[in-house]
Amino acid sequence: MSRLRLRFGLTIVVAVSASLVAAPVGSAASASDARDDTMVMIEVLTDETGAVGDAIEELGGTVVGSVEGEIVQAEVPSDQVDEVASAEDVTFVRPPQLVSRPPTQPRLRADVGPGFGAVIGQNVEITNAAAWQAAGIDGSVKVGIIDYFDLGLWNPVENGPVPDVAHRFCLDSAASGLCDPLNSDGVNDGDGFEHGVAVAQVVRDMAPAAELFIASTATVSDLRAAIDWFAQNGVMIITRSLGAAYDGPGDGTGPLAAVVDYAAARGITWFNSTGNDAQDGYARIVVPADLGQSGGYVDFDNGPGVDTYLRLSGQCVLFDGVRWNDWDKPANLRTDYIIETWAPIFNPDLAHGEGFNPPDLQYVDSTDDVQANGAPPLEAADAFLCAQNNFGFADGISYIRIQRKPGTSTAGDPDIVEIALGSGYLELGRSQASYSAAKPVVDSLNPQLIAVGAIDPADGSGSPEAIASYSSQGPTNDGRIKPDVSAPSCVASPLYQTCFNGTSAASPSAAGMAALLLDAGVALPGPPLAAAVRHFTVDRNAVQGSTASPDGPDNKYGIGQIRLPSPPTVAAPVAAAAYQALTPTRVLDTRTTSPVGPPRLVGKLPPQGILDLAIAGVGAVPASATAVAVNITSTDAPLASYIQAVPFLRSPFGASSTLNIAVAGSVKPNFAIVPLGVDGKISVYTVAGGNIIVDVLGYFAPTDVAVAAGRFVAIDPTRTLDTRTVDLVPTGWSAHLPTGESVVVPAAANVPASGVSALVLNVTSTDALAPGFLRAEPTGSVPSSSTVNYVPGSASANTVIVPLGANGTVSVFTSAGSHIVVDVTGYITDATAAVVSTGRFVPVPTGRAYDSRSQAAGALVGGGARSVQLTGLASPLPVIPAGVVAISLNLTATDEVGPGFLTAYPGAALPPTSTLNFSAGQPVANGALLKLSALGGLNVFALQQSHFVIDLNGYFTG
C-alpha cells in the first residue's frame, strides 16, 4: 500500500508495509523517481569539505553544495556510496536532511490595528511600530524571508507586490517537491505553503515599505546558496520561521550553525523562531550507566517503577531526533542506542482510547546508525516514523523504546538523552520546557542570530506569565540563555481562521522592527543592528505587575519583549553652545563594587551591550544642554574591541568609535564630547562587554550670538611639559620618574595670562615602571578620577579639559613611576574674555568623516603626512560647514606596523607634539579638540606606517 506523507508542506509518497517507515524526506529513496536510479543523493559529514569534494568527483560523483568545514552534499553512483563512506576525512554518510519545518498552532483571532493592508495584527501597536510609521519611518529596506510560499495566496493588498523572478529563490537539491509550481495553486488547504505568505504579512505590517525577497530551500547546502543570493541582492535582514532536525550537540555548532556564521560574515542579521516545543515536544532524560534493571532499555518512569515505553500522540511522528551527550568523544567511545517503534495491538471490541497499554504492544521496526563507525550520537534525525500493526494504523498512538546496544561503551558515566519531535506530542509526563530551544540555528553562538520566543495572546493578557506555553525555552546545552528576545504572537491574519501564532509569527515581528531601526539610521547592519533589537526590549517580569519583579534576561522571554522607544523626531537646528566645566561627576559605574547606575545594570555588560544614560536635566547638567564632555573608561573587557558613545537615536550604532580596547582586561579611558540625543540621552555601545565607567567633566549649553565665557580657542598644538627633556621640565624639577607626586604644567606661550578658565590638554604617560595612572587636575583641588591609565612598555594618552586651580595653574599627578608629556591644544575662556561669537560648540550626529582603510591612498606611510579636508563637503557625513575654526573628533590608529604616534595639526609645519601613541597592531583612539587649517582641513602625521580613522561629533564656530 502507499500513503501520502505530509511533512509541513512537503508531500511525498512513501511505501508503507506492516513495519516502521523511517525514510527521511529528501533521501535518495524518496526522490528516486526524480533522477537516474543509478545515482543517489547523499550528505557527507566532514571537516575537510574541499578534499572530500575532490574525492567524490574522482569517484564519478557531482558536488551539489557544501557548508565549509561541516558537510558536502553530492550526487554519486549508487555503487560508490561505500567508497565515499570509506574515503579519507569522511566522518559519516547519510541521506540529505531537510532543514524546513513551519509549525503553526491556532489561537483566538487578534484585534486589528495600523500597518499594511486591511488586516493588521496587534503586534504593530504593542511594539510601538505604529508610532514609528506615523513618524514617517516605514522600514524602506530589503528583508529576506526563508519559508514555504504559495504565491497564489499572495494578496497585494496585504503583502505588497507579488515577488517577481528577481525577488524569489527556490533550490531543492533533494528533489522533495519544494519548488513544484503546483504548490502555488492559491488554495489554502493547510499544506503549509501558506505559512511563508503569512510571515510576509507580519513583516509588511511592521515595515510597510520593506522590499521583500523570498527563498525556499530543502537542504543545508541549499540554504547556504540562498544566503549568497540574499547578500548579492543587498538583503541585510532575514527571518526564518522554520525548525530543523538535530545536527549538532545543541551548543551552537553544526552545519546549520555554520550557515548562520556564513550569513553573519556577509553582514546579515538573522531572526529565527525559537520553536514550539516547550509543551509536549521535548524530553530530557538522565540515563544511568547501569541499565540492568530495565533490561538495557531507557526507563521513562519518573518514579521508582520501570517503564521502557514512551507514548507518542500520533500514529506517524516526525522526529527532530534522539540525541545524547557524546559529541566530544571519539567514535569508539560513544554510546550506541537503537530506537525501536512499537504499535498498540488494535482491539475493535474496546472503546476509543482504551486498552493501549505496553502489554498490548507489538514491535514494528528500529533505526540504528552505528556510532562506532563514525555516526554522530544521534538517531532518527529527520525521520518520519509510522507505527502500523497487522490490523491497520493505531488510533493516533505509537510508542518508542530506546535500547542501549549490548556491549556499547558508557565509560561509567550517565548519558543525557534528548528526544525532540517535529510533529506529534510526547506523553507519559516526560515533556519539559527547559532545553527545548537547543535546536539548530536557534542555538547559534553568533550575535547576529536572534532567536525569538512568542508572547501569546499578543498583548500578554492570557495568563500570569505571558510567554506562550508552547514557546521553546533554553538554556542551550552549553548554558546560554535562549530565546534572545520575545515578541507578540497570535496576530490577525487573513490566512488563518483564528490567528497566525506560534513563534513563527513572533520572528517576523522582530525582523520588521529591525527594518524600522535600519531605515531610521539607528544602527548599521550586522552586530550593531542585532544589538539594537536586543536593547529595545522591556522586561516582561516587570510588566506582569507587583507579584513579579524585574529579573533581567531569562530562558522564557530572553532579554525581554521587543518594544520600540518613541520614534526619533527630526532634529531641530542646534544652537551654538558655550562650555561649562563641572566638578567631575561619575554618572555610571557598572562594577558591582559601585552604587552608581541603575540597579539592573550593576555588573558587567554583555557582549554587544547597549545602555542609555539620561544626562540633560540630571544633576548639574541643565535640560538645555546640547552636549557633554565625558571621560569613558573600559575595564574587564574579555576581548579586544571598541566602545561607542553616541547621541540617543541620533547616530547609528557601529558607525564610529569612541574608545578602542587593544588588550583584553585592560583599563582604558578616553575623552569625548558626546552630543545629547533624543530626551537628552546618550547611548553607550560595547562590542565585547565588560564594565564601563562614565564621568561627566562639563557640558555645553546654548548661548547668545556673542559671549565671553565658555568659548574654545584653538591654538597650534604646543608641547609644554616633557619630563624626559630637561628644557621642558619646570624650574626646580629634575627630569626623573616620580612616584605619587604632582607636577605643575607650565603655561604655554600662546595661551594668554588672563581670560582663561580651563586648558585643553593631551596628557601622555610613557616609560612607566609599573601599572598606574595620571590625573590632570586643577592645582590644589580635591583628587578626582584618573585621566590616563598606563602599563609598562606602552605609551598611553588621553585628552582632558582641566579648569585652572591655584595661581591659575593645572597639575598632573602620577600614581607610579612614569614620564609625563603634556601638549596644549587650546583653552576655554572665562567671563573676563572678549565678548565674541567665535569658539562656540555646535554638536553634529556622531559619524565617520575619514577612514584610510577605504581610501585609494591606503595606509599612511611611516614618516609621512596626509591632508584631510573636513569642512565644506556634502559628504561623507557628518557635514561640517566651511569657515569653522576647530573641530571635536576621535582619532584612531589601527593596523600599525610598529610602535609610534599620530599627530594631527592644522599648519604646514609638523609640531613637536603627538595626538595619540600606539603599539604595533593594536587599535587605539584619542578624543581631541583641534584647530583647523584656514581651508578647513587637518594634516595627520604617522611615525610608523598606520591606518587612521577620524570620527567627528561637532565643531566650533568661526
Side-chain angles (χ1 to χ4, degrees):
M1 61 178 293
S2 65
R3 178 178 175 85
L4 285 179
R5 172 185 172 194
L6 182 64
R7 183 181 178 277
F8 294 112
L10 295 184
T11 303
I12 292 181
V13 175
V14 179
V16 176
S17 63
S19 63
L20 171 74
V21 177
V25 175
S27 68
S30 65
S32 60
D33 58 334
R35 58 169 57 91
D36 188 336
D37 287 340
T38 65
M39 304 294 287
V40 295
M41 190 70 73
I42 59 173
E43 282 183 343
V44 182
L45 305 185
T46 176
D47 294 335
E48 302 294 336
T49 45
V52 168
D54 292 342
I56 289 171
E57 298 280 355
E58 291 177 5
L59 291 171
T62 301
V63 174
V64 173
S66 66
V67 176
E68 186 174 356
E70 294 287 345
I71 203 166
V72 175
Q73 184 178 340
E75 193 172 39
V76 300
S78 58
D79 59 359
Q80 294 295 315
V81 173
D82 290 342
E83 290 294 326
V84 173
S86 61
E88 187 177 1
D89 298 320
V90 170
T91 301
F92 190 65
V93 175
R94 69 187 185 196
Q97 287 188 189
L98 295 194
V99 296
S100 303
R101 293 174 179 171
T104 58
Q105 288 179 281
R107 289 291 186 272
L108 295 177
R109 188 182 185 88
D111 295 334
V112 300
F116 188 92
V119 180
I120 309 299
Q122 284 176 293
N123 51 324
V124 180
E125 287 284 358
I126 292 169
T127 61
N128 204 34
W132 285 55
Q133 294 172 20
I137 303 168
D138 54 10
S140 183
V141 300
K142 296 177 178 179
V143 178
I145 303 172
I146 302 170
D147 216 295
Y148 299 104
F149 301 92
D150 182 344
L151 294 184
L153 296 172
W154 193 283
N155 182 353
V157 174
E158 299 292 345
N159 295 71
V162 179
D164 57 18
V165 173
H167 287 80
R168 63 179 188 261
F169 175 97
C170 192
L171 183 58
D172 182 10
S173 61
S176 64
L178 179 63
C179 300
D180 189 337
L182 295 177
N183 293 323
S184 289
D185 57 9
V187 178
N188 191 2
D189 53 6
D191 63 358
F193 283 83
E194 81 287 346
H195 188 267
V197 182
V199 167
Q201 290 168 355
V202 175
V203 174
R204 281 282 189 185
D205 281 352
M206 292 289 293
E211 182 180 358
L212 301 184
F213 290 75
I214 64 173
S216 299
T217 61
T219 69
V220 66
S221 63
D222 295 348
L223 183 59
R224 186 187 186 280
I227 297 304
D228 284 329
W229 177 76
F230 282 130
Q232 290 161 8
N233 282 285
V235 174
M236 296 288 99
I237 299 169
I238 63 174
T239 181
R240 175 180 176 273
S241 290
L242 305 173
Y246 283 150
D247 70 349
D251 63 355
T253 61
L256 278 165
V259 175
V260 174
D261 291 340
Y262 181 73
R266 306 210 64 175
I268 292 172
T269 301
W270 184 324
F271 296 84
N272 211 97
S273 55
T274 302
N276 303 334
D277 303 318
Q279 188 173 7
D280 302 322
Y282 171 82
R284 185 181 185 90
I285 302 161
V286 178
V287 181
D290 182 8
L291 288 177
Q293 186 180 7
S294 58
Y297 286 89
V298 172
D299 178 12
F300 299 113
D301 196 322
N302 288 320
V306 175
D307 187 350
T308 63
Y309 295 83
L310 181 62
R311 176 169 164 161
L312 307 177
S313 176
Q315 60 196 23
C316 290
V317 176
L318 178 63
F319 272 77
D320 283 340
V322 177
R323 176 175 70 184
W324 57 101
N325 59 325
D326 282 353
W327 293 82
D328 59 347
K329 293 181 179 179
N332 64 320
L333 295 181
R334 290 174 180 168
T335 307
D336 198 340
Y337 288 101
I338 301 171
I339 313 303
E340 299 177 351
T341 299
W342 290 67
I345 298 174
F346 179 67
N347 186 343
D349 296 329
L350 295 177
H352 173 81
E354 295 181 2
F356 297 129
N357 297 312
D360 303 314
L361 299 177
Q362 66 178 16
Y363 170 79
V364 178
D365 209 336
S366 62
T367 64
D368 180 22
D369 290 334
V370 182
Q371 275 65 46
N373 289 346
L378 176 61
E379 293 284 352
D382 200 38
F384 194 72
L385 305 182
C386 290
Q388 180 184 3
N389 58 46
N390 294 330
F391 298 97
F393 278 100
D395 193 10
I397 297 171
S398 58
Y399 290 82
I400 64 167
R401 302 180 82 191
I402 303 177
Q403 182 187 31
R404 183 181 293 158
K405 190 179 296 183
T408 188
S409 172
T410 64
D413 298 325
D415 287 329
I416 298 175
V417 173
E418 299 174 271
I419 304 167
L421 304 183
S423 69
Y425 298 96
L426 291 164
E427 297 188 359
L428 291 182
R430 291 307 321 201
S431 175
Q432 68 178 72
S434 298
Y435 295 96
S436 59
K439 296 283 187 72
V441 178
V442 176
D443 66 359
S444 170
L445 292 155
N446 200 292
Q448 286 169 239
L449 186 282
I450 298 182
V452 188
I455 292 174
D456 186 350
D459 61 4
S461 63
S463 65
E465 289 187 304
I467 197 68
S469 60
Y470 54 76
S471 186
S472 294
Q473 300 179 20
T476 59
N477 283 346
D478 58 333
R480 289 172 292 117
I481 287 176
K482 289 290 177 177
D484 297 296
V485 299
S486 49
S489 184
C490 192
V491 297
S493 170
L495 290 171
Y496 295 98
Q497 269 192 334
T498 52
C499 66
F500 180 35
N501 75 323
T503 57
S504 287
S507 181
S509 284
M513 171 177 162
L516 296 176
L517 293 170
L518 190 60
D519 183 32
V522 173
L524 294 188
L529 179 59
V533 172
R534 289 182 172 94
H535 177 57
F536 293 119
T537 56
V538 294
D539 190 336
R540 278 301 312 185
N541 292 299
V543 174
Q544 296 306 322
S546 60
T547 58
S549 59
D551 64 355
D554 57 47
N555 285 302
K556 292 181 179 179
Y557 302 102
I559 293 174
Q561 178 183 340
I562 60 169
R563 186 171 300 169
L564 290 159
S566 297
T569 55
V570 177
V574 180
Y579 181 71
Q580 175 63 57
L582 296 173
T583 301
T585 303
R586 184 151 293 179
V587 295
L588 177 72
D589 188 342
T590 63
R591 295 173 297 181
T592 54
T593 56
S594 169
V596 179
R600 201 177 157 206
L601 293 177
V602 170
K604 293 182 180 179
L605 270 71
Q608 301 296 327
I610 299 173
L611 59 86
D612 303 323
L613 291 175
I615 300 294
V618 177
V621 180
S624 61
T626 57
V628 286
V630 296
N631 205 53
I632 299 177
T633 303
S634 167
T635 72
D636 310 307
L639 300 170
S641 60
Y642 71 91
I643 291 173
Q644 178 192 30
V646 293
F648 176 62
L649 295 181
R650 293 282 186 232
S651 296
F653 295 123
S656 60
S657 63
T658 305
L659 167 62
N660 287 79
I661 305 157
V663 179
S666 60
V667 179
K668 179 65 178 175
N670 202 34
F671 168 84
I673 292 178
V674 185
L676 298 178
V678 176
D679 299 328
K681 296 179 180 179
I682 67 172
S683 297
V684 181
Y685 167 46
T686 172
V687 173
N691 283 309
I692 294 177
I693 303 165
V694 179
D695 297 313
V696 175
L697 311 178
Y699 63 87
F700 291 86
T703 68
D704 295 328
V705 173
V707 69
R711 295 182 292 105
F712 172 61
V713 179
I715 65 173
D716 291 325
T718 303
R719 180 149 293 175
T720 186
L721 173 66
D722 188 340
T723 61
R724 302 168 301 176
T725 305
V726 174
D727 292 345
L728 289 178
V729 172
T731 303
W733 229 62
S734 59
H736 67 297
L737 299 171
T739 300
E741 297 183 23
S742 294
V743 56
V744 176
V745 177
N750 43 3
V751 175
S754 62
V756 178
S757 66
L759 297 179
V760 181
L761 309 176
N762 192 56
V763 181
T764 303
S765 161
T766 186
D767 302 324
L769 297 180
F773 63 87
L774 300 181
R775 184 176 65 238
E777 58 194 3
T779 302
S781 68
V782 177
S784 59
S785 58
S786 61
T787 303
V788 178
N789 292 77
Y790 53 74
V791 294
S794 178
S796 299
N798 196 16
T799 293
V800 64
I801 301 176
V802 188
L804 299 180
N807 301 317
T809 62
V810 301
S811 299
V812 178
F813 169 85
T814 179
S815 68
S818 171
H819 275 303
I820 304 170
V821 180
V822 177
D823 299 326
V824 183
T825 62
Y827 60 91
I828 305 296
T829 58
D830 66 11
T832 66
V835 177
V836 295
S837 61
T838 61
R840 294 170 300 142
F841 182 67
V842 179
V844 299
T846 307
R848 186 144 292 174
Y850 185 85
D851 188 339
S852 65
R853 296 170 297 184
S854 61
Q855 301 295 317
L860 185 55
V861 298
R866 184 174 302 169
S867 179
V868 179
Q869 182 67 29
L870 295 174
T871 68
L873 302 176
S875 63
L877 295 176
V879 175
I880 305 295
V884 307
V885 296
I887 55 172
S888 172
L889 60 79
N890 197 62
L891 179 66
T892 303
T894 186
D895 302 325
E896 312 94 335
V897 300
F901 61 85
L902 293 181
T903 297
Y905 57 101
L910 175 68
T913 60
S914 62
T915 308
L916 63 80
N917 297 75
F918 55 73
S919 300
Q922 295 184 347
V924 62
N926 195 14
L929 309 183
L930 294 175
K931 181 181 178 181
L932 291 175
S933 69
L935 297 178
L938 276 178
N939 294 316
V940 180
F941 168 85
L943 181 65
Q944 293 271 15
Q945 179 176 310
S946 171
H947 278 293
F948 69 97
V949 179
I950 298 175
D951 294 324
L952 300 181
N953 48 54
Y955 61 89
F956 295 89
T957 56

